[in-house]
mmCIF file of all heavy atoms in Angstrom:
data_model
loop_
_atom_site.group_PDB
_atom_site.id
_atom_site.type_symbol
_atom_site.label_atom_id
_atom_site.label_comp_id
_atom_site.label_asym_id
_atom_site.label_seq_id
_atom_site.Cartn_x
_atom_site.Cartn_y
_atom_site.Cartn_z
ATOM 1 N N MET A 444 -24.505 -6.084 -9.802
ATOM 2 C CA MET A 444 -23.086 -6.382 -10.057
ATOM 3 C C MET A 444 -22.289 -6.300 -8.763
ATOM 4 O O MET A 444 -22.235 -5.254 -8.131
ATOM 5 C CB MET A 444 -22.514 -5.373 -11.063
ATOM 6 C CG MET A 444 -23.151 -5.495 -12.450
ATOM 7 S SD MET A 444 -22.679 -7.004 -13.305
ATOM 8 C CE MET A 444 -21.085 -6.491 -13.956
ATOM 9 N N ASP A 445 -21.692 -7.407 -8.408
ATOM 10 C CA ASP A 445 -20.887 -7.437 -7.193
ATOM 11 C C ASP A 445 -19.421 -7.612 -7.585
ATOM 12 O O ASP A 445 -19.031 -8.659 -8.068
ATOM 13 C CB ASP A 445 -21.350 -8.595 -6.300
ATOM 14 C CG ASP A 445 -20.643 -8.586 -4.962
ATOM 15 O OD1 ASP A 445 -19.780 -7.709 -4.736
ATOM 16 O OD2 ASP A 445 -20.940 -9.454 -4.139
ATOM 17 N N PRO A 446 -18.627 -6.595 -7.397
ATOM 18 C CA PRO A 446 -17.216 -6.693 -7.801
ATOM 19 C C PRO A 446 -16.416 -7.676 -6.962
ATOM 20 O O PRO A 446 -15.322 -8.058 -7.325
ATOM 21 C CB PRO A 446 -16.695 -5.263 -7.610
ATOM 22 C CG PRO A 446 -17.601 -4.659 -6.620
ATOM 23 C CD PRO A 446 -18.949 -5.306 -6.824
ATOM 24 N N GLN A 447 -16.972 -8.086 -5.830
ATOM 25 C CA GLN A 447 -16.246 -9.019 -4.959
ATOM 26 C C GLN A 447 -16.576 -10.478 -5.280
ATOM 27 O O GLN A 447 -16.169 -11.374 -4.576
ATOM 28 C CB GLN A 447 -16.590 -8.734 -3.500
ATOM 29 C CG GLN A 447 -16.134 -7.344 -3.076
ATOM 30 C CD GLN A 447 -15.472 -7.360 -1.727
ATOM 31 O OE1 GLN A 447 -16.004 -7.918 -0.780
ATOM 32 N NE2 GLN A 447 -14.312 -6.784 -1.613
ATOM 33 N N ALA A 448 -17.315 -10.708 -6.340
ATOM 34 C CA ALA A 448 -17.732 -12.072 -6.649
ATOM 35 C C ALA A 448 -16.658 -12.858 -7.395
ATOM 36 O O ALA A 448 -16.843 -14.022 -7.663
ATOM 37 C CB ALA A 448 -18.998 -12.038 -7.477
ATOM 38 N N GLU A 449 -15.574 -12.212 -7.708
ATOM 39 C CA GLU A 449 -14.526 -12.917 -8.429
ATOM 40 C C GLU A 449 -13.861 -13.960 -7.551
ATOM 41 O O GLU A 449 -13.515 -13.679 -6.411
ATOM 42 C CB GLU A 449 -13.449 -11.924 -8.884
ATOM 43 C CG GLU A 449 -13.726 -11.361 -10.258
ATOM 44 C CD GLU A 449 -12.555 -10.549 -10.763
ATOM 45 O OE1 GLU A 449 -11.418 -11.033 -10.644
ATOM 46 O OE2 GLU A 449 -12.787 -9.450 -11.242
ATOM 47 N N PRO A 450 -13.669 -15.155 -8.058
ATOM 48 C CA PRO A 450 -12.991 -16.186 -7.279
ATOM 49 C C PRO A 450 -11.530 -15.837 -7.044
ATOM 50 O O PRO A 450 -10.893 -15.197 -7.877
ATOM 51 C CB PRO A 450 -13.124 -17.449 -8.134
ATOM 52 C CG PRO A 450 -13.432 -16.974 -9.501
ATOM 53 C CD PRO A 450 -14.109 -15.649 -9.362
ATOM 54 N N VAL A 451 -11.035 -16.278 -5.895
ATOM 55 C CA VAL A 451 -9.653 -15.994 -5.519
ATOM 56 C C VAL A 451 -8.921 -17.312 -5.364
ATOM 57 O O VAL A 451 -9.465 -18.271 -4.824
ATOM 58 C CB VAL A 451 -9.606 -15.198 -4.198
ATOM 59 C CG1 VAL A 451 -8.166 -14.860 -3.838
ATOM 60 C CG2 VAL A 451 -10.441 -13.938 -4.314
ATOM 61 N N ASN A 452 -7.715 -17.365 -5.843
ATOM 62 C CA ASN A 452 -6.918 -18.580 -5.721
ATOM 63 C C ASN A 452 -6.182 -18.603 -4.392
ATOM 64 O O ASN A 452 -5.548 -17.630 -4.005
ATOM 65 C CB ASN A 452 -5.904 -18.653 -6.861
ATOM 66 C CG ASN A 452 -6.584 -18.897 -8.187
ATOM 67 O OD1 ASN A 452 -7.494 -19.709 -8.287
ATOM 68 N ND2 ASN A 452 -6.145 -18.209 -9.209
ATOM 69 N N TYR A 453 -6.296 -19.725 -3.715
ATOM 70 C CA TYR A 453 -5.588 -19.921 -2.455
ATOM 71 C C TYR A 453 -4.776 -21.196 -2.538
ATOM 72 O O TYR A 453 -5.134 -22.139 -3.245
ATOM 73 C CB TYR A 453 -6.580 -20.046 -1.299
ATOM 74 C CG TYR A 453 -7.283 -18.758 -0.949
ATOM 75 C CD1 TYR A 453 -8.529 -18.465 -1.487
ATOM 76 C CD2 TYR A 453 -6.704 -17.851 -0.078
ATOM 77 C CE1 TYR A 453 -9.184 -17.286 -1.163
ATOM 78 C CE2 TYR A 453 -7.352 -16.678 0.243
ATOM 79 C CZ TYR A 453 -8.588 -16.400 -0.294
ATOM 80 O OH TYR A 453 -9.222 -15.242 0.021
ATOM 81 N N ILE A 454 -3.699 -21.223 -1.769
ATOM 82 C CA ILE A 454 -2.870 -22.418 -1.678
ATOM 83 C C ILE A 454 -3.008 -22.978 -0.274
ATOM 84 O O ILE A 454 -2.838 -22.264 0.712
ATOM 85 C CB ILE A 454 -1.392 -22.081 -1.960
ATOM 86 C CG1 ILE A 454 -1.225 -21.490 -3.370
ATOM 87 C CG2 ILE A 454 -0.524 -23.320 -1.800
ATOM 88 C CD1 ILE A 454 -1.570 -22.438 -4.491
ATOM 89 N N CYS A 455 -3.333 -24.248 -0.199
ATOM 90 C CA CYS A 455 -3.484 -24.906 1.097
ATOM 91 C C CYS A 455 -2.177 -24.832 1.880
ATOM 92 O O CYS A 455 -1.109 -25.126 1.353
ATOM 93 C CB CYS A 455 -3.891 -26.358 0.872
ATOM 94 S SG CYS A 455 -3.919 -27.334 2.365
ATOM 95 N N GLY A 456 -2.264 -24.426 3.145
ATOM 96 C CA GLY A 456 -1.075 -24.297 3.961
ATOM 97 C C GLY A 456 -0.518 -25.636 4.404
ATOM 98 O O GLY A 456 0.580 -25.714 4.937
ATOM 99 N N ASP A 457 -1.255 -26.691 4.188
ATOM 100 C CA ASP A 457 -0.816 -28.003 4.635
ATOM 101 C C ASP A 457 -0.246 -28.813 3.480
ATOM 102 O O ASP A 457 0.881 -29.284 3.525
ATOM 103 C CB ASP A 457 -1.999 -28.730 5.262
ATOM 104 C CG ASP A 457 -1.561 -29.873 6.143
ATOM 105 O OD1 ASP A 457 -0.337 -30.000 6.371
ATOM 106 O OD2 ASP A 457 -2.412 -30.638 6.601
ATOM 107 N N TYR A 458 -1.007 -28.955 2.423
ATOM 108 C CA TYR A 458 -0.582 -29.799 1.313
ATOM 109 C C TYR A 458 -0.215 -29.021 0.062
ATOM 110 O O TYR A 458 0.241 -29.600 -0.915
ATOM 111 C CB TYR A 458 -1.701 -30.789 0.963
ATOM 112 C CG TYR A 458 -1.883 -31.854 2.001
ATOM 113 C CD1 TYR A 458 -2.888 -31.748 2.954
ATOM 114 C CD2 TYR A 458 -1.039 -32.967 2.030
ATOM 115 C CE1 TYR A 458 -3.067 -32.725 3.913
ATOM 116 C CE2 TYR A 458 -1.211 -33.948 2.977
ATOM 117 C CZ TYR A 458 -2.221 -33.825 3.922
ATOM 118 O OH TYR A 458 -2.392 -34.789 4.863
ATOM 119 N N GLY A 459 -0.462 -27.712 0.076
ATOM 120 C CA GLY A 459 -0.128 -26.926 -1.099
ATOM 121 C C GLY A 459 -1.083 -27.136 -2.252
ATOM 122 O O GLY A 459 -0.747 -26.881 -3.394
ATOM 123 N N ILE A 460 -2.278 -27.594 -1.937
ATOM 124 C CA ILE A 460 -3.281 -27.810 -2.975
ATOM 125 C C ILE A 460 -3.923 -26.480 -3.339
ATOM 126 O O ILE A 460 -4.213 -25.672 -2.461
ATOM 127 C CB ILE A 460 -4.352 -28.802 -2.474
ATOM 128 C CG1 ILE A 460 -3.699 -30.128 -2.113
ATOM 129 C CG2 ILE A 460 -5.442 -28.991 -3.525
ATOM 130 C CD1 ILE A 460 -4.586 -31.040 -1.296
ATOM 131 N N LYS A 461 -4.129 -26.298 -4.603
ATOM 132 C CA LYS A 461 -4.743 -25.056 -5.055
ATOM 133 C C LYS A 461 -6.239 -25.098 -4.826
ATOM 134 O O LYS A 461 -6.908 -26.081 -5.179
ATOM 135 C CB LYS A 461 -4.441 -24.845 -6.535
ATOM 136 C CG LYS A 461 -4.740 -23.436 -6.988
ATOM 137 C CD LYS A 461 -4.156 -23.174 -8.355
ATOM 138 C CE LYS A 461 -5.235 -23.387 -9.413
ATOM 139 N NZ LYS A 461 -4.738 -23.046 -10.770
ATOM 140 N N ASN A 462 -6.757 -24.051 -4.210
ATOM 141 C CA ASN A 462 -8.192 -23.921 -3.980
ATOM 142 C C ASN A 462 -8.675 -22.634 -4.612
ATOM 143 O O ASN A 462 -8.053 -21.594 -4.453
ATOM 144 C CB ASN A 462 -8.488 -23.856 -2.478
ATOM 145 C CG ASN A 462 -8.358 -25.208 -1.813
ATOM 146 O OD1 ASN A 462 -9.347 -25.857 -1.513
ATOM 147 N ND2 ASN A 462 -7.134 -25.654 -1.574
ATOM 148 N N THR A 463 -9.761 -22.722 -5.301
ATOM 149 C CA THR A 463 -10.369 -21.522 -5.835
ATOM 150 C C THR A 463 -11.640 -21.247 -5.042
ATOM 151 O O THR A 463 -12.596 -22.019 -5.091
ATOM 152 C CB THR A 463 -10.688 -21.702 -7.329
ATOM 153 O OG1 THR A 463 -9.489 -22.031 -8.010
ATOM 154 C CG2 THR A 463 -11.244 -20.417 -7.905
ATOM 155 N N LEU A 464 -11.612 -20.181 -4.271
ATOM 156 C CA LEU A 464 -12.733 -19.861 -3.405
ATOM 157 C C LEU A 464 -13.296 -18.504 -3.779
ATOM 158 O O LEU A 464 -12.580 -17.628 -4.236
ATOM 159 C CB LEU A 464 -12.289 -19.832 -1.944
ATOM 160 C CG LEU A 464 -11.659 -21.105 -1.395
ATOM 161 C CD1 LEU A 464 -11.186 -20.871 0.016
ATOM 162 C CD2 LEU A 464 -12.633 -22.264 -1.431
ATOM 163 N N GLU A 465 -14.575 -18.369 -3.554
ATOM 164 C CA GLU A 465 -15.181 -17.062 -3.717
ATOM 165 C C GLU A 465 -15.188 -16.362 -2.376
ATOM 166 O O GLU A 465 -15.037 -16.978 -1.325
ATOM 167 C CB GLU A 465 -16.592 -17.208 -4.276
ATOM 168 C CG GLU A 465 -16.541 -17.741 -5.712
ATOM 169 C CD GLU A 465 -17.919 -17.897 -6.304
ATOM 170 O OE1 GLU A 465 -18.896 -17.458 -5.672
ATOM 171 O OE2 GLU A 465 -18.019 -18.459 -7.396
ATOM 172 N N HIS A 466 -15.385 -15.069 -2.412
ATOM 173 C CA HIS A 466 -15.280 -14.280 -1.190
ATOM 174 C C HIS A 466 -16.293 -14.696 -0.145
ATOM 175 O O HIS A 466 -16.080 -14.534 1.046
ATOM 176 C CB HIS A 466 -15.452 -12.796 -1.524
ATOM 177 C CG HIS A 466 -14.232 -12.209 -2.170
ATOM 178 N ND1 HIS A 466 -13.207 -11.626 -1.459
ATOM 179 C CD2 HIS A 466 -13.859 -12.145 -3.462
ATOM 180 C CE1 HIS A 466 -12.279 -11.226 -2.306
ATOM 181 N NE2 HIS A 466 -12.646 -11.523 -3.526
ATOM 182 N N SER A 467 -17.392 -15.253 -0.598
ATOM 183 C CA SER A 467 -18.438 -15.638 0.349
ATOM 184 C C SER A 467 -18.148 -16.994 0.972
ATOM 185 O O SER A 467 -18.762 -17.369 1.966
ATOM 186 C CB SER A 467 -19.792 -15.666 -0.365
ATOM 187 O OG SER A 467 -19.721 -16.537 -1.477
ATOM 188 N N ASN A 468 -17.202 -17.742 0.387
ATOM 189 C CA ASN A 468 -16.907 -19.065 0.910
ATOM 190 C C ASN A 468 -16.083 -18.978 2.187
ATOM 191 O O ASN A 468 -15.383 -17.996 2.421
ATOM 192 C CB ASN A 468 -16.103 -19.883 -0.117
ATOM 193 C CG ASN A 468 -16.940 -20.278 -1.329
ATOM 194 O OD1 ASN A 468 -16.463 -20.204 -2.447
ATOM 195 N ND2 ASN A 468 -18.162 -20.677 -1.118
ATOM 196 N N VAL A 469 -16.162 -20.039 2.968
ATOM 197 C CA VAL A 469 -15.315 -20.147 4.140
ATOM 198 C C VAL A 469 -13.899 -20.443 3.679
ATOM 199 O O VAL A 469 -13.686 -21.225 2.756
ATOM 200 C CB VAL A 469 -15.824 -21.286 5.061
ATOM 201 C CG1 VAL A 469 -14.909 -21.459 6.266
ATOM 202 C CG2 VAL A 469 -17.240 -21.015 5.496
ATOM 203 N N ILE A 470 -12.926 -19.779 4.322
ATOM 204 C CA ILE A 470 -11.535 -20.011 3.950
ATOM 205 C C ILE A 470 -11.097 -21.337 4.559
ATOM 206 O O ILE A 470 -10.710 -21.429 5.710
ATOM 207 C CB ILE A 470 -10.631 -18.861 4.445
ATOM 208 C CG1 ILE A 470 -11.137 -17.532 3.903
ATOM 209 C CG2 ILE A 470 -9.192 -19.093 4.018
ATOM 210 C CD1 ILE A 470 -11.163 -17.435 2.392
ATOM 211 N N GLN A 471 -11.239 -22.364 3.752
ATOM 212 C CA GLN A 471 -10.881 -23.704 4.211
ATOM 213 C C GLN A 471 -10.569 -24.559 2.988
ATOM 214 O O GLN A 471 -11.239 -24.445 1.962
ATOM 215 C CB GLN A 471 -12.055 -24.296 4.996
ATOM 216 C CG GLN A 471 -11.729 -25.601 5.670
ATOM 217 C CD GLN A 471 -12.919 -26.138 6.464
ATOM 218 O OE1 GLN A 471 -14.050 -26.063 6.027
ATOM 219 N NE2 GLN A 471 -12.641 -26.678 7.634
ATOM 220 N N CYS A 472 -9.555 -25.396 3.120
ATOM 221 C CA CYS A 472 -9.172 -26.255 2.014
ATOM 222 C C CYS A 472 -10.282 -27.252 1.729
ATOM 223 O O CYS A 472 -10.815 -27.891 2.631
ATOM 224 C CB CYS A 472 -7.869 -26.992 2.350
ATOM 225 S SG CYS A 472 -7.335 -28.105 1.039
ATOM 226 N N ARG A 473 -10.606 -27.382 0.467
ATOM 227 C CA ARG A 473 -11.677 -28.301 0.093
ATOM 228 C C ARG A 473 -11.216 -29.744 0.093
ATOM 229 O O ARG A 473 -12.024 -30.654 0.119
ATOM 230 C CB ARG A 473 -12.195 -27.942 -1.296
ATOM 231 C CG ARG A 473 -12.970 -26.652 -1.287
ATOM 232 C CD ARG A 473 -13.425 -26.293 -2.673
ATOM 233 N NE ARG A 473 -14.180 -25.050 -2.665
ATOM 234 C CZ ARG A 473 -14.635 -24.459 -3.762
ATOM 235 N NH1 ARG A 473 -14.397 -25.010 -4.915
ATOM 236 N NH2 ARG A 473 -15.311 -23.352 -3.682
ATOM 237 N N GLU A 474 -9.912 -29.935 0.011
ATOM 238 C CA GLU A 474 -9.389 -31.293 -0.083
ATOM 239 C C GLU A 474 -9.175 -31.907 1.298
ATOM 240 O O GLU A 474 -9.551 -33.041 1.539
ATOM 241 C CB GLU A 474 -8.066 -31.290 -0.845
ATOM 242 C CG GLU A 474 -8.184 -30.781 -2.276
ATOM 243 C CD GLU A 474 -9.037 -31.704 -3.145
ATOM 244 O OE1 GLU A 474 -9.026 -32.924 -2.901
ATOM 245 O OE2 GLU A 474 -9.710 -31.202 -4.051
ATOM 246 N N CYS A 475 -8.551 -31.167 2.190
ATOM 247 C CA CYS A 475 -8.192 -31.747 3.483
ATOM 248 C C CYS A 475 -8.829 -31.020 4.651
ATOM 249 O O CYS A 475 -8.705 -31.447 5.793
ATOM 250 C CB CYS A 475 -6.665 -31.779 3.638
ATOM 251 S SG CYS A 475 -5.921 -30.156 3.766
ATOM 252 N N GLY A 476 -9.514 -29.903 4.389
ATOM 253 C CA GLY A 476 -10.197 -29.205 5.461
ATOM 254 C C GLY A 476 -9.318 -28.300 6.287
ATOM 255 O O GLY A 476 -9.754 -27.748 7.285
ATOM 256 N N TYR A 477 -8.068 -28.145 5.858
ATOM 257 C CA TYR A 477 -7.140 -27.281 6.576
ATOM 258 C C TYR A 477 -7.601 -25.831 6.484
ATOM 259 O O TYR A 477 -8.049 -25.390 5.427
ATOM 260 C CB TYR A 477 -5.751 -27.451 5.956
ATOM 261 C CG TYR A 477 -4.604 -27.050 6.859
ATOM 262 C CD1 TYR A 477 -4.359 -27.762 8.025
ATOM 263 C CD2 TYR A 477 -3.760 -26.004 6.515
ATOM 264 C CE1 TYR A 477 -3.299 -27.417 8.840
ATOM 265 C CE2 TYR A 477 -2.695 -25.653 7.326
ATOM 266 C CZ TYR A 477 -2.471 -26.365 8.487
ATOM 267 O OH TYR A 477 -1.415 -26.020 9.272
ATOM 268 N N CYS A 478 -7.486 -25.129 7.585
ATOM 269 C CA CYS A 478 -8.081 -23.789 7.652
ATOM 270 C C CYS A 478 -7.109 -22.678 7.297
ATOM 271 O O CYS A 478 -7.491 -21.521 7.255
ATOM 272 C CB CYS A 478 -8.649 -23.541 9.046
ATOM 273 S SG CYS A 478 -10.073 -24.571 9.398
ATOM 274 N N ILE A 479 -5.857 -23.016 7.104
ATOM 275 C CA ILE A 479 -4.889 -21.972 6.772
ATOM 276 C C ILE A 479 -4.580 -22.056 5.285
ATOM 277 O O ILE A 479 -4.000 -23.020 4.809
ATOM 278 C CB ILE A 479 -3.613 -22.123 7.617
ATOM 279 C CG1 ILE A 479 -3.960 -21.983 9.098
ATOM 280 C CG2 ILE A 479 -2.579 -21.090 7.184
ATOM 281 C CD1 ILE A 479 -2.783 -22.253 10.015
ATOM 282 N N LEU A 480 -5.015 -21.040 4.589
ATOM 283 C CA LEU A 480 -4.753 -20.990 3.157
ATOM 284 C C LEU A 480 -3.986 -19.720 2.839
ATOM 285 O O LEU A 480 -4.205 -18.680 3.440
ATOM 286 C CB LEU A 480 -6.066 -20.997 2.372
ATOM 287 C CG LEU A 480 -6.952 -22.225 2.526
ATOM 288 C CD1 LEU A 480 -8.163 -22.088 1.621
ATOM 289 C CD2 LEU A 480 -6.233 -23.503 2.209
ATOM 290 N N TYR A 481 -3.085 -19.838 1.916
ATOM 291 C CA TYR A 481 -2.323 -18.677 1.490
ATOM 292 C C TYR A 481 -2.926 -18.142 0.207
ATOM 293 O O TYR A 481 -3.225 -18.900 -0.712
ATOM 294 C CB TYR A 481 -0.860 -19.057 1.248
ATOM 295 C CG TYR A 481 -0.193 -19.575 2.486
ATOM 296 C CD1 TYR A 481 0.082 -20.920 2.640
ATOM 297 C CD2 TYR A 481 0.137 -18.689 3.520
ATOM 298 C CE1 TYR A 481 0.679 -21.401 3.788
ATOM 299 C CE2 TYR A 481 0.742 -19.163 4.663
ATOM 300 C CZ TYR A 481 1.007 -20.511 4.797
ATOM 301 O OH TYR A 481 1.595 -20.989 5.930
ATOM 302 N N LYS A 482 -3.083 -16.857 0.185
ATOM 303 C CA LYS A 482 -3.621 -16.239 -1.009
ATOM 304 C C LYS A 482 -2.550 -16.235 -2.091
ATOM 305 O O LYS A 482 -1.430 -15.790 -1.870
ATOM 306 C CB LYS A 482 -4.039 -14.806 -0.679
ATOM 307 C CG LYS A 482 -4.962 -14.210 -1.706
ATOM 308 C CD LYS A 482 -5.491 -12.894 -1.168
ATOM 309 C CE LYS A 482 -6.524 -12.319 -2.115
ATOM 310 N NZ LYS A 482 -7.085 -11.074 -1.571
ATOM 311 N N LYS A 483 -2.934 -16.766 -3.223
ATOM 312 C CA LYS A 483 -1.970 -16.849 -4.301
ATOM 313 C C LYS A 483 -1.990 -15.562 -5.100
ATOM 314 O O LYS A 483 -3.034 -15.025 -5.399
ATOM 315 C CB LYS A 483 -2.311 -18.026 -5.210
ATOM 316 C CG LYS A 483 -1.214 -18.351 -6.176
ATOM 317 C CD LYS A 483 -1.657 -19.431 -7.144
ATOM 318 C CE LYS A 483 -0.544 -19.727 -8.118
ATOM 319 N NZ LYS A 483 -0.990 -20.596 -9.199
ATOM 320 N N CYS A 484 -0.810 -15.132 -5.418
ATOM 321 C CA CYS A 484 -0.706 -13.931 -6.230
ATOM 322 C C CYS A 484 -1.100 -14.280 -7.662
ATOM 323 O O CYS A 484 -0.515 -15.153 -8.281
ATOM 324 C CB CYS A 484 0.727 -13.406 -6.183
ATOM 325 S SG CYS A 484 0.880 -11.788 -6.919
ATOM 326 N N THR A 485 -2.098 -13.584 -8.150
ATOM 327 C CA THR A 485 -2.613 -13.912 -9.475
ATOM 328 C C THR A 485 -2.051 -12.987 -10.549
ATOM 329 O O THR A 485 -2.624 -12.842 -11.610
ATOM 330 C CB THR A 485 -4.145 -13.836 -9.479
ATOM 331 O OG1 THR A 485 -4.541 -12.560 -8.984
ATOM 332 C CG2 THR A 485 -4.738 -14.926 -8.616
ATOM 333 N N ARG A 486 -0.935 -12.361 -10.214
ATOM 334 C CA ARG A 486 -0.310 -11.466 -11.171
ATOM 335 C C ARG A 486 0.070 -12.231 -12.439
ATOM 336 O O ARG A 486 0.608 -13.336 -12.366
ATOM 337 C CB ARG A 486 0.956 -10.885 -10.549
ATOM 338 C CG ARG A 486 1.286 -9.508 -11.072
ATOM 339 C CD ARG A 486 2.585 -9.038 -10.453
ATOM 340 N NE ARG A 486 2.593 -9.160 -8.988
ATOM 341 C CZ ARG A 486 3.690 -9.124 -8.261
ATOM 342 N NH1 ARG A 486 4.861 -8.989 -8.804
ATOM 343 N NH2 ARG A 486 3.626 -9.234 -6.948
ATOM 344 N N ARG A 487 -0.220 -11.682 -13.539
ATOM 345 C CA ARG A 487 0.128 -12.341 -14.792
ATOM 346 C C ARG A 487 1.595 -12.141 -15.110
ATOM 347 O O ARG A 487 2.173 -11.109 -14.807
ATOM 348 C CB ARG A 487 -0.711 -11.781 -15.934
ATOM 349 C CG ARG A 487 -2.150 -12.226 -15.845
ATOM 350 C CD ARG A 487 -2.912 -11.738 -17.051
ATOM 351 N NE ARG A 487 -4.331 -12.059 -16.931
ATOM 352 C CZ ARG A 487 -5.242 -11.690 -17.818
ATOM 353 N NH1 ARG A 487 -4.888 -10.984 -18.859
ATOM 354 N NH2 ARG A 487 -6.494 -12.014 -17.660
ATOM 355 N N ILE A 488 2.135 -13.161 -15.718
ATOM 356 C CA ILE A 488 3.535 -13.055 -16.141
ATOM 357 C C ILE A 488 3.585 -12.267 -17.449
ATOM 358 O O ILE A 488 2.946 -12.620 -18.427
ATOM 359 C CB ILE A 488 4.145 -14.462 -16.352
ATOM 360 C CG1 ILE A 488 4.119 -15.236 -15.024
ATOM 361 C CG2 ILE A 488 5.563 -14.354 -16.897
ATOM 362 C CD1 ILE A 488 4.454 -16.702 -15.189
ATOM 363 N N VAL A 489 4.315 -11.196 -17.379
ATOM 364 C CA VAL A 489 4.444 -10.349 -18.563
ATOM 365 C C VAL A 489 5.851 -10.503 -19.106
ATOM 366 O O VAL A 489 6.830 -10.358 -18.385
ATOM 367 C CB VAL A 489 4.165 -8.879 -18.218
ATOM 368 C CG1 VAL A 489 4.269 -8.013 -19.468
ATOM 369 C CG2 VAL A 489 2.784 -8.738 -17.585
ATOM 370 N N GLN A 490 5.915 -10.851 -20.355
ATOM 371 C CA GLN A 490 7.224 -11.041 -20.967
ATOM 372 C C GLN A 490 7.508 -9.917 -21.948
ATOM 373 O O GLN A 490 6.647 -9.525 -22.727
ATOM 374 C CB GLN A 490 7.288 -12.381 -21.702
ATOM 375 C CG GLN A 490 7.273 -13.550 -20.738
ATOM 376 C CD GLN A 490 7.486 -14.869 -21.481
ATOM 377 O OE1 GLN A 490 7.118 -14.992 -22.636
ATOM 378 N NE2 GLN A 490 8.070 -15.825 -20.802
ATOM 379 N N TYR A 491 8.713 -9.447 -21.846
ATOM 380 C CA TYR A 491 9.143 -8.425 -22.800
ATOM 381 C C TYR A 491 10.244 -9.004 -23.661
ATOM 382 O O TYR A 491 11.164 -9.635 -23.148
ATOM 383 C CB TYR A 491 9.664 -7.187 -22.067
ATOM 384 C CG TYR A 491 8.576 -6.429 -21.349
ATOM 385 C CD1 TYR A 491 8.418 -6.573 -19.980
ATOM 386 C CD2 TYR A 491 7.721 -5.589 -22.055
ATOM 387 C CE1 TYR A 491 7.431 -5.881 -19.313
ATOM 388 C CE2 TYR A 491 6.725 -4.893 -21.389
ATOM 389 C CZ TYR A 491 6.578 -5.044 -20.025
ATOM 390 O OH TYR A 491 5.602 -4.366 -19.362
ATOM 391 N N GLU A 492 10.137 -8.798 -24.914
ATOM 392 C CA GLU A 492 11.204 -9.252 -25.808
ATOM 393 C C GLU A 492 12.210 -8.139 -26.000
ATOM 394 O O GLU A 492 11.888 -7.073 -26.487
ATOM 395 C CB GLU A 492 10.638 -9.660 -27.167
ATOM 396 C CG GLU A 492 10.336 -11.135 -27.230
ATOM 397 C CD GLU A 492 9.939 -11.573 -28.626
ATOM 398 O OE1 GLU A 492 10.663 -11.228 -29.591
ATOM 399 O OE2 GLU A 492 8.920 -12.246 -28.756
ATOM 400 N N ALA A 493 13.417 -8.420 -25.559
ATOM 401 C CA ALA A 493 14.483 -7.415 -25.711
ATOM 402 C C ALA A 493 15.290 -7.734 -26.949
ATOM 403 O O ALA A 493 15.805 -8.835 -27.107
ATOM 404 C CB ALA A 493 15.379 -7.436 -24.479
ATOM 405 N N ARG A 494 15.349 -6.812 -27.804
ATOM 406 C CA ARG A 494 16.105 -7.036 -29.044
ATOM 407 C C ARG A 494 17.245 -6.040 -29.171
ATOM 408 O O ARG A 494 17.118 -4.923 -28.728
ATOM 409 C CB ARG A 494 15.197 -6.908 -30.256
ATOM 410 C CG ARG A 494 14.145 -7.994 -30.240
ATOM 411 C CD ARG A 494 13.360 -8.010 -31.535
ATOM 412 N NE ARG A 494 12.364 -9.078 -31.476
ATOM 413 C CZ ARG A 494 12.084 -9.844 -32.532
ATOM 414 N NH1 ARG A 494 12.691 -9.697 -33.667
ATOM 415 N NH2 ARG A 494 11.175 -10.768 -32.427
HETATM 416 ZN ZN1 LIG B 945 -5.521 -28.827 2.089
#
């Protein structure tokens, strides 16, 4: 079991394309080959109902 095997979402720094990369992958956009990717915050949106 490798806890680091979870894919991480990145946003291409050039075109803003979403890339899903695993930790073992090279950090590079799969669409345009741009090497600067921003790590996307994968925080879930939590909604509270206020009554
Ligand atoms: Zn790109």
